[in-house]
Amino acid sequence: MIKASIIIPMYNVAQYLDKCVKSIIAQNLKPGTFEVIMINDDSPDNSLEIATNLSKQYNFISIISQKNKGLGGARNTGIQNAKGDYIIFLDADDWLISNSVENIIKISDKHKLDILEFGAHLVAESGETVNTISRSSNEIIYNGIEYYNTIKYAGSACNKLYSRAFLQTNNLLFLEKIFGEDFEFNTRALFFAKRILAVENVCAAFLQSSNSITRNNDRAKKDKYLIDFTHILSSIRDFRDRYSHTNQSESVSSFFNERLTMVNINAFYLMFKNNYSFNEINKYKKTLKEKKLFYIKYPVAIKKKELFRKVMLKNFFLFRPAQLLKRALNTN
């Protein structure tokens, strides 16, 4: 019986594939109990060639090639072709910690979980571990709304073990060809989940690449991210309006308010950090208001983001002098 399906999207990741796959081998899982699905998302480099060679060495690897659908679309193909009881999303530049997966599968089996959230190291390109995210729910099992309002872990889809049956039952797939798809996907997953547990076990390492969307200097990618933020906001708001009538409790309202506010904070912080002009920032604000997507009134749990909300977003006029000061300091 296949217990775990590990889904690896591939797009310009040839240099990382060998290490990523070898980290799965280092799990020492019993043959026949896991599979690796590598999704070639129309990658222009030699990722497919490397994956093909790996599949010849290891019979647990299957490869699916498709027209480019983005990270979300590649993961969707993996979900639709997976056979395991559980799904792990593993980006090709990340890797699993040795002998870590079997234990979280046992925990999920024992508690019949929809989602198990595990810890991860954040690793710089130099190889240095710059941070570790790790939380525990102390063996308390929550539903998704209670979990989110109680345990603040990570927004990634890659530090979670998902029940495949849970994803299928609730038709949980990622938005395709957008940035920030994890946040939107997990909003729906948390809403539907009935049984979630957090463990401190560190099971993965996430490479903090200088070429990531939030760290590179590509203005076009930043502009696309801002457009995608509006898609994410629309999707979450529409989902809330469609489903929240089934549960109109204060905790559900709090959940959606914080999620929508967090997306707004992330969008405006991206513009502030990357020196968008005040006119550009103000224009984006007007667009969100016109689409009824401007949410800044609800507090969020992350302290730095809450400070940004309270100081900048609730006093919008401060953006102009703050940016002038920021530029002056960068010049000196």
Side-chain angles (χ1 to χ4, degrees):
M1 176 186 289
I2 297 177
K3 297 298 297 180
S5 298
I6 301 169
I7 297 169
I8 305 175
M10 297 188 297
Y11 188 86
N12 274 347
V13 290
Q15 62 182 312
Y16 304 113
L17 288 175
D18 189 69
K19 180 175 182 177
C20 181
V21 171
K22 293 295 173 58
S23 76
I24 298 170
I25 297 165
Q27 297 306 305
N28 290 323
L29 295 168
K30 293 179 182 178
T33 63
F34 70 104
E35 64 175 351
V36 174
I37 306 174
M38 305 181 77
I39 312 298
N40 173 37
D41 196 42
D42 214 5
S43 182
D45 69 355
N46 64 329
S47 290
L48 179 58
E49 179 185 347
I50 292 173
T52 300
N53 289 334
L54 287 166
S55 71
K56 290 176 181 177
Q57 296 177 59
Y58 307 107
N59 61 10
F60 55 79
I61 295 176
S62 61
I63 302 170
I64 300 172
S65 291
Q66 64 182 27
K67 293 291 183 181
N68 181 262
K69 295 182 179 180
L71 182 61
R75 289 174 177 169
N76 289 344
T77 298
I79 294 170
Q80 291 160 343
N81 288 273
K83 300 180 181 68
D85 292 344
Y86 301 103
I87 287 177
I88 294 175
F89 300 110
L90 183 61
D91 289 349
D93 55 353
D94 300 333
W95 59 95
L96 297 175
I97 304 302
S98 299
N99 298 313
S100 61
V101 170
E102 185 175 18
N103 193 36
I104 59 173
I105 290 174
K106 288 179 178 177
I107 295 170
S108 291
D109 275 345
K110 176 183 176 182
H111 296 291
K112 296 180 172 56
L113 300 178
D114 296 323
I115 303 172
L116 179 146
E117 195 158 18
F118 54 82
H121 294 311
L122 307 183
V123 182
E125 290 175 319
S126 64
E128 177 188 2
T129 297
V130 294
N131 196 11
T132 297
I133 52 173
S134 180
R135 295 288 301 274
S136 172
S137 62
N138 298 313
E139 299 188 357
I140 299 172
I141 298 170
Y142 296 93
N143 68 44
I145 301 298
E146 293 171 339
Y147 180 86
Y148 181 75
N149 291 334
T150 306
I151 307 292
K152 302 299 181 186
Y153 213 144
S156 174
C158 294
N159 79 313
K160 296 170 180 63
L161 185 73
Y162 295 92
S163 160
R164 182 168 66 93
F166 163 71
L167 297 183
Q168 290 180 327
T169 298
N170 294 289
N171 194 30
L172 286 166
L173 295 170
F174 291 84
L175 295 182
E176 299 186 355
K177 290 191 172 182
I178 71 163
F179 299 141
E181 63 283 308
D182 286 16
F183 190 93
E184 192 278 338
F185 175 83
N186 279 322
T187 300
R188 289 179 285 123
L190 287 165
F191 180 82
F192 286 127
K194 304 301 182 190
R195 299 180 65 81
I196 304 185
L197 184 72
V199 296
E200 292 180 329
N201 308 41
V202 175
C203 301
F206 299 157
L207 181 67
Q208 305 300 284
S209 172
S210 57
N211 196 41
S212 71
I213 301 304
T214 54
R215 296 184 190 88
N216 68 39
N217 295 316
D218 189 331
R219 173 61 186 255
K221 288 184 178 180
K222 302 291 191 300
D223 289 344
K224 175 177 168 23
Y225 210 153
L226 291 171
I227 294 170
D228 291 345
F229 276 133
T230 65
H231 293 323
I232 291 167
L233 284 165
S234 295
S235 179
I236 293 173
R237 180 198 60 194
D238 294 348
F239 178 82
R240 177 201 64 189
D241 294 346
R242 192 161 61 249
Y243 285 100
S244 62
H245 69 277
T246 62
N247 184 341
Q248 297 182 355
S249 67
E250 184 177 340
S251 61
V252 169
S253 177
S254 174
F255 169 74
F256 281 113
N257 283 333
E258 183 168 345
R259 299 295 279 182
L260 289 164
T261 302
M262 187 68 77
V263 180
N264 271 264
I265 292 170
N266 289 342
F268 285 102
Y269 183 73
L270 181 148
M271 288 186 283
F272 178 70
K273 179 182 177 183
N274 290 280
N275 299 315
Y276 280 64
S277 71
F278 178 78
N279 288 338
E280 288 172 315
I281 295 173
N282 203 38
K283 182 179 178 181
Y284 190 76
K285 175 187 174 183
K286 289 179 179 178
T287 298
L288 292 185
K289 282 194 164 185
E290 287 169 1
K291 295 182 177 182
K292 298 181 179 179
L293 299 173
F294 189 61
Y295 293 84
I296 64 165
K297 294 180 180 178
Y298 196 83
V300 299
I302 300 174
K303 291 181 180 179
K304 288 182 179 179
K305 295 191 175 183
E306 173 61 4
L307 181 63
F308 184 81
R309 182 192 73 86
K310 289 174 72 174
V311 174
M312 301 296 290
L313 295 187
K314 295 195 78 175
N315 302 281
F316 214 79
F317 65 91
L318 290 177
F319 268 102
R320 193 189 296 273
Q323 284 197 310
L324 291 173
L325 177 61
K326 185 167 172 275
R327 286 172 188 159
L329 291 173
N330 288 337
T331 301
N332 294 332

